[in-house]
Amino acid sequence: MIILLGILVGAVAGLVVSLFRILITLGFSLNEYIFAQAHRYLFLWFLIIPLYFLIGYILIKLTKRDANIKGSGIPQVEAQLIDAININWISVLLRKFVGGILAISSGLMLGREGPSIQLGAAIGQGLSETRKMSKSETKILISAGAAAGLSAAFNAPIAAILFVVEEMHHNFSSSVWISAFISALTADFVSMEFFGLKPILHFENIEPLPLNQYLYLIIVGVVMGLLAISYQKNTLFLPKLFKKISLANHLDIFLPLLLIIPSVYFFPKFVGGGNQLILNLYQTKLPFFLIIMLFLFRYIYSMISYGSGLPGGIFLPILTLGAIIGYLSYKILFALNLVNDQETGVFIVIGMAAYFGSISMAPLTSIILVTEMVGNLEHIMPLGLTTLVAYLVVDSLGGKPIYESMMINLLKKDQNNKQVREIYDLPVTVSSAVIDKKISEISWPQDCLIVLIIRNSINIPVNGSTKILSNDHLICLINQNYLKDLKDVLN
């Protein structure tokens, strides 16, 4: 049965996400055409400005009706899998679909992959609920749908499976990975019927990196790691900043929409999710100064886009920033006569994998994802080395998986009673009364949610049957008023 359901989820998710991709591409192409004509016909500004205000108005209405469509969507799916939030799958499916198309096709630096994952998860949830399946079976289908969504978004089925296992579940469950595998392959097959067999970021004639240049990759990896920890901290801080300066009735959504208008007008090739920009980096020779300005431009603007809560992902924008850093690294090494002019593509590919792998703290997923997107297996060794170094730098500096951190921030505010809850890291001492007890056997205080258990530096997802062991660290979401009660339970 799980095989048939996995195929069904994958097929539906593949169709929905493929349509999502097509409409985004058409919307962005239409947008580019209108702005190109505006260089010749000034009266078109009487169409462009009202159009962007209309898009903003629709997005405000959509996000007010269902706050769970805001942002990437991946943190919401992860929260679902630990029973932290309840999702109306029909609402998310419809509103995220429309909102994602409007936000991404308008030129904002948002990716389609997060929304695609959430759309797939909603389809899996919908199938489960219509069949009145158990909670554990529902989670399996949500995971399968998430894998199908990512697979259809990037035509990367293996990376989609790894993402679900490595990022969402943090453990290897046979029922999860089998259903995710089936769904991802099915969704990829459906997607290829629309977009063909060519990899999404296919580079022609990338030269392998000579072994005597691997030493430089360690330096590149260190730089990637430092920039990745900066991205993590800034991205997690931005929603707090937007909250402080927030305008009434979600009007802050207009900020990125209005700022993007001159960018689309003057620099149409530099905006959007970034997949075409990555290919352009490989095909064109950009001056050093322009590369730095391009990085700063996209770095700052992707932060603004995400911080406003617009429905769109950071997956592809991170890959684009990584590609720019990789290209910048190549330019520096080339100027020092340490690499040749045939190695541009290698450093772009390395940059994508290392930057995303260290920010997400999912290096294996990143390596496979970029390999599938590029369609070339020759560069796994340099990808692996640079990504590992970048990951170790982020880990040594206290970095956390970006999507997990976003999920924790998402859960800080109870959506039902609007009471603010805080995240606490509480250790389980050797004398604690909860040792060897299951989560369901313990009388937890009011408004208390055990989000994760950290055991020997490994994140353990929790459910009612999860046992608590000595020296565990409980990541708890609780109202401060009940913190003392929680500590009494753990003593």
Side-chain angles (χ1 to χ4, degrees), residues 263-282:
S263 302
V264 179
Y265 182 75
F266 291 107
F267 311 109
K269 301 301 180 185
F270 294 164
V271 297
N275 54 305
Q276 191 57 47
L277 175 58
I278 295 172
L279 293 171
N280 290 339
L281 281 177
Y282 178 63

Side-chain angles (χ1 to χ4, degrees), residues 82 89 185 187 232 257 289-290 344 356 428 444 457 485:
I82 60 170
W89 69 271
L185 286 178
Q232 282 188 349
L257 281 169
F289 176 75
L290 182 57
T344 313
F356 178 74
V428 178
W444 300 103
S457 300
D485 296 337

